[in-house]
């Protein structure tokens, strides 16, 4: 005959957050007899259950003589408080140890929040430029949803970029998940800027606030050539006297930090109307018709402003003077234009 038993004779699941499911605990059914044990039923009452399929263990319809199988059990409380129940195994013979006592306590889900990746040190960043982003990771290792997530920067020089580039964190974070917060530094003046980022929610966030440091540095630049002297016939009629002369003025970032805030070239001075900026051949700043619109330059990089001299028939002959200027985070750089109208 079959001789069936189950061990252990009780399962204690402890405290489990309502709305969640506990880890699996396992019962072992043994048949030490000389004939097969045939299962009639495995009866368990909610909020305890045996998962479906392979997750429910290895016990099937029969258990051959001298063998064992397993029954897996989970606890899924829907309300706070202690729950006592049983799991009963019935078959063609009585099962020693059955019914198995089950116990567990439903508790309110609680988020457990922390932030890693800090402190953030941005080093030297060019004034009027924005640093590369650095990333913080927000963790919720608890059983409840972290809600009311709020970011507060101690200085406006630090910020979280808008949209997807700002990272994946929103105002809530589900239990057992993480999200990211990207931070950038945008100095407007030279000097060290020390600040914090406070991350708050419906529970205290460990490691918040996060320390932030960065130093604004004024870039160094050159704008060459410093002067341009040329000549041309007034209102030159096409190719008879050659194309109106042009000159490229080059802005170079000679410093060690990104140069930002670059604007397009501006003509000034008494005879500015007899010169023009050629958009197709210029890259500094942002202007209609430019193939490249560069508002920042990495260390060692350059951009150009190309100027053309086109004296007008309505003007007198002689030297026409003007200036070409470009403004950026290092200030305003200018070159002198001397065009002789013939």
């Amino acid at each position: 005959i079959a001789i069936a038993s189950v061990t252990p004779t009780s399962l204690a699941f402890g405290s489990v957050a309502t709305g969640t499911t506990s880890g699996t605990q396992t019962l072992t059914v043994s048949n030490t007899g000389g004939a097969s044990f045939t299962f009639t039923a495995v009866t368990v009452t909610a909020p305890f259950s045996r998962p479906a399929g392979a997750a429910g263990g290895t016990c099937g319809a029969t258990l051959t003589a001298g063998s064992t199988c397993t029954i897996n059990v989970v606890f899924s409380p829907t309300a706070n408080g202690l729950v006592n129940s049983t799991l009963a195994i019935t078959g063609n013979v009585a099962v020693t140890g059955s019914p198995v006592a089950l116990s567990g306590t439903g508790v309110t889900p609680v988020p457990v929040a922390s932030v890693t990746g800090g402190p953030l040190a941005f080093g030297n960043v060019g004034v009027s430029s924005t640093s590369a982003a650095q990333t913080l990771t927000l963790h919720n290792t608890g059983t409840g949803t972290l809600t009311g997530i709020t970011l507060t920067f101690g200085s406006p020089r630090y910020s979280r970029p808008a949209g997807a580039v700002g990272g994946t964190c929103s105002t809530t974070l589900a239990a057992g998940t993480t999200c990211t917060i990207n931070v950038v530094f945008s100095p407007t003046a030279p000097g060290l800027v020390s600040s914090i980022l406070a991350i708050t929610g419906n529970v205290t966030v460990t490691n918040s606030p996060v320390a932030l440091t960065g130093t604004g540095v004024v870039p160094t630049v050159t704008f060459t050539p410093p002067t341009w002297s040329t000549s041309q016939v007034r209102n030159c009629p096409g190719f008879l006297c050659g194309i109106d002369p042009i000159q490229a003025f080059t802005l170079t970032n000679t410093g060690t930090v990104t140069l930002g805030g670059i604007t397009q070239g501006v003509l000034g001075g008494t005879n500015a109307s007899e010169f023009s900026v050629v958009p197709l051949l210029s890259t500094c700043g942002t202007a209609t018709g430019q193939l490249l619109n560069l508002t920042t330059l990495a260390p060692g990089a350059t951009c150009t402003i190309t100027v053309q001299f086109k004296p007008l028939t309505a003007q007198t002959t002689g030297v026409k003077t003007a200036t070409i200027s470009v403004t950026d985070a290092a200030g305003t750089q200018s070159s002198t234009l001397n065009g002789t109208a013939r």
Side-chain angles (χ1 to χ4, degrees):
I1 63 172
I3 302 174
S5 63
V6 58
T7 57
T9 56
S10 66
L11 296 177
F13 288 85
S15 297
V16 177
T18 58
T20 68
T21 297
S22 70
T24 298
Q25 294 200 41
T26 300
L27 298 171
T28 300
V29 180
S30 302
N31 179 6
T32 57
S36 292
F37 173 72
T38 301
F39 286 88
T40 301
V42 176
T43 305
V44 60
T45 303
F48 301 92
S49 63
R50 181 186 184 187
T58 60
C59 290
T62 60
L63 181 61
T64 59
S67 61
T68 63
C69 66
T70 57
I71 298 172
N72 292 333
V73 184
V74 293
F75 175 45
S76 305
T78 58
N80 289 351
L82 176 65
V83 181
N84 291 305
S85 186
T86 58
L87 180 145
I89 305 169
T90 56
N92 59 337
V93 297
V95 178
T96 302
S98 175
V100 176
L102 307 176
S103 65
T105 301
V107 296
T108 301
V110 177
V112 177
S114 63
V115 60
T116 59
L120 300 182
F122 290 87
N124 293 336
V125 176
V127 170
S128 298
S129 299
T130 297
S131 71
Q134 295 196 39
T135 300
L136 299 170
T137 301
L138 184 62
H139 305 257
N140 180 3
T141 56
T143 56
T145 300
L146 178 65
T147 62
I149 299 172
T150 303
L151 309 181
T152 304
F153 289 93
S155 166
R157 303 284 69 79
Y158 297 94
S159 63
R160 181 187 186 187
V165 294
T168 59
C169 288
S170 62
T171 57
T172 63
L173 183 62
T177 63
T178 63
C179 64
T180 57
I181 300 166
N182 292 334
V183 181
V184 295
F185 174 47
S186 305
T188 57
L192 175 66
V193 181
S194 297
S195 187
I196 59 170
L197 167 58
I199 305 171
T200 56
N202 59 333
V203 295
T204 299
V205 179
T206 303
N207 300 327
S208 173
V210 178
L212 310 173
T213 57
T215 301
V217 177
V218 175
T220 57
V221 301
T222 58
F223 191 56
T224 55
T227 60
W228 177 45
S229 297
T230 187
S231 64
Q232 178 60 301
V233 175
R234 290 181 298 164
N235 202 27
C236 178
F239 293 103
L240 296 179
C241 52
I243 299 173
D244 292 317
I246 61 174
Q247 174 64 47
F249 292 84
T250 301
L251 179 69
T252 302
N253 180 359
T254 58
T256 59
V257 294
T258 298
L259 173 68
I262 302 171
T263 63
Q264 65 190 81
V266 176
L267 290 164
T270 304
N271 305 115
S273 62
E274 299 192 56
F275 296 85
S276 62
V277 174
V278 184
L280 190 63
L281 301 178
S282 300
T283 57
C284 293
T286 300
T288 301
Q290 288 182 190
L291 296 180
L292 290 175
N293 293 275
L294 302 177
T295 58
T296 63
L297 289 178
T302 63
C303 65
T304 58
I305 301 171
T306 298
V307 177
Q308 186 172 43
F309 177 50
K310 190 171 185 177
L312 307 175
T313 302
Q315 302 298 324
T316 60
T317 58
V319 176
K320 312 295 181 176
T321 60
T323 59
I324 179 65
S325 302
V326 61
T327 301
D328 48 58
T332 299
Q333 298 81 43
S334 298
S335 292
T336 302
L337 309 176
N338 297 304
T340 302
R342 306 195 306 272

